Amino acid sequence: MMANLRAGVSTVMKMNDKIVLITGSTDGVGRYVATKLAVAGAKVLIHGRNAARASALVEEIKRAGGRAPIFYQADFSSLAEVRKLANAVLADHKRLDVLVSNAGIGSQNEGLARQTSHDGYELRFAVNYLSGFLLAQLLLPLLKAAAPSRIVNVASLGQHPIDFDDVMITKGYSGSRAYAQSKLSQIMFTIDLAEALKGSGVTVNSLHPATYMNTTMVRAGGITPISTVEQGGDAILHLVEGDDVANKSGLFFNGMNEAKANPQAYDTAARRRLRTLSLEFVGLPAA
């Protein structure tokens, strides 16, 4: 996708010296996106839990002729570690051109039973949604300083409406429902944040990159991959650097194309309830 876009005229913004943070970037589609952007000249900040895997990626990018990325280690099942990550990025950088919120776990990673995060929240809701919600809120000053800048939330076509009477799914739990609820929460946050950021120069969009990519997450769920990491990675890169989406915000994409999310995403009252709960859960003041 990047090569094809670059063959055109003014189809992508220049990534040279842009500062890009990609969460969950030491494996899978995040790793692919990090490598492509680093080779394109971006200053890439990679994130993951595994330092050895991060070191291998740094060396791989250097061998490919890219700028060596900077690694930030954090476990997204802990809001304290997310705050630590945000504080480190805030201390090290004066701006952030792109935030790609990609870190997450699948429907069956860590087992079939319902699990909770370090903070006591349902694990998929915590890792896939709450941590990205908190990180984006904390890094907004850097994103606004870099405007025009972008936030890209990696969601899914798998979406399940939130039951506000049982957000943590203590009844009728299934990993697929938990995963789908966390992904719809990401999309709802995307729309909500886009409205809050109007006029700031910061855009925020979400996407389903590709269906069952050949990643560790998919294989761990016992699922036969359908799409390649490259297909999903190119869809993410489109939102990161495509000129055609430079002024678009609050949208959901299926691959390269705009799409409609679950109807609850467009329910203003539901988004307000989610925002209020999320701020409470992560310990931020009410808006």
Side-chain angles (χ1 to χ4, degrees):
M1 190 272 310
M2 295 179 74
N4 290 338
L5 282 177
R6 290 200 175 99
V9 179
S10 299
T11 53
V12 296
M13 71 175 181
K14 293 179 180 177
M15 295 308 301
N16 194 47
D17 292 326
K18 298 288 186 183
I19 302 175
V20 184
L21 170 59
I22 308 165
T23 67
S25 48
T26 59
D27 193 20
V29 71
R31 186 183 185 98
Y32 174 83
V33 171
T35 301
K36 287 290 186 181
L37 291 175
V39 170
K43 184 176 183 180
V44 178
L45 316 182
I46 58 173
H47 153 265
R49 291 184 296 172
N50 189 307
R53 194 176 286 164
S55 295
L57 175 58
V58 171
E59 292 307 311
E60 181 182 311
I61 287 173
K62 286 162 64 176
R63 285 196 300 273
R67 186 173 186 170
I70 302 168
F71 174 54
Y72 292 87
Q73 190 169 18
D75 182 349
F76 268 29
S77 68
S78 165
L79 293 174
E81 291 209 19
V82 175
R83 286 183 177 275
K84 186 177 176 182
L85 166 62
N87 288 336
V89 174
L90 286 163
D92 293 347
H93 308 281
K94 290 184 169 58
R95 74 176 207 274
L96 182 63
D97 297 281
V98 183
L99 168 62
V100 180
S101 190
N102 170 70
I105 57 173
S107 61
Q108 296 183 40
N109 299 79
E110 314 294 337
L112 296 174
R114 181 183 181 277
Q115 294 175 310
T116 55
S117 69
H118 289 286
D119 305 282
Y121 302 125
E122 191 280 314
L123 188 63
R124 279 146 191 82
F125 187 82
V127 173
N128 295 350
Y129 165 64
L130 268 187
S131 289
F133 172 89
L134 176 59
L135 185 64
Q137 299 285 1
L138 296 178
L139 294 181
L140 279 179
L142 294 188
L143 288 154
K144 288 177 178 177
S149 53
R150 306 183 188 188
I151 299 171
V152 178
N153 291 323
V154 180
S156 174
L157 279 178
Q159 301 158 28
H160 191 288
I162 301 166
D163 177 358
F164 284 100
D165 291 326
D166 188 19
V167 176
M168 297 303 157
I169 319 180
T170 59
K171 303 170 187 173
Y173 176 85
S174 76
S176 58
R177 176 185 168 189
Y179 176 82
Q181 175 181 271
S182 72
K183 291 300 178 178
L184 178 57
S185 298
Q186 280 185 299
I187 296 165
M188 292 168 74
F189 171 51
T190 297
I191 297 170
D192 217 38
L193 187 59
E195 291 182 359
L197 290 173
K198 279 181 181 175
S200 70
V202 184
T203 63
V204 51
N205 291 295
S206 61
L207 82 159
H208 167 79
T211 300
Y212 295 137
M213 291 176 287
N214 188 15
T215 64
T216 302
M217 180 192 295
V218 169
R219 293 191 299 271
I223 298 166
T224 302
I226 295 173
S227 305
T228 66
V229 166
E230 291 77 10
Q231 286 172 303
D234 288 345
I236 294 171
L237 288 164
H238 171 232
L239 292 187
V240 167
E241 61 178 7
D243 276 354
D244 61 317
V245 294
N247 297 312
K248 294 182 178 181
S249 194
L251 300 177
F252 173 66
F253 288 75
N254 180 5
M256 301 286 185
N257 304 309
E258 287 183 40
K260 284 292 184 184
N262 182 281
Q264 194 181 51
Y266 307 103
D267 183 333
T268 304
R271 292 202 310 272
R272 187 184 307 115
R273 291 184 75 178
L274 178 62
R275 178 176 68 247
T276 300
L277 283 173
S278 301
L279 290 169
E280 179 185 331
F281 291 153
V282 303
L284 290 177

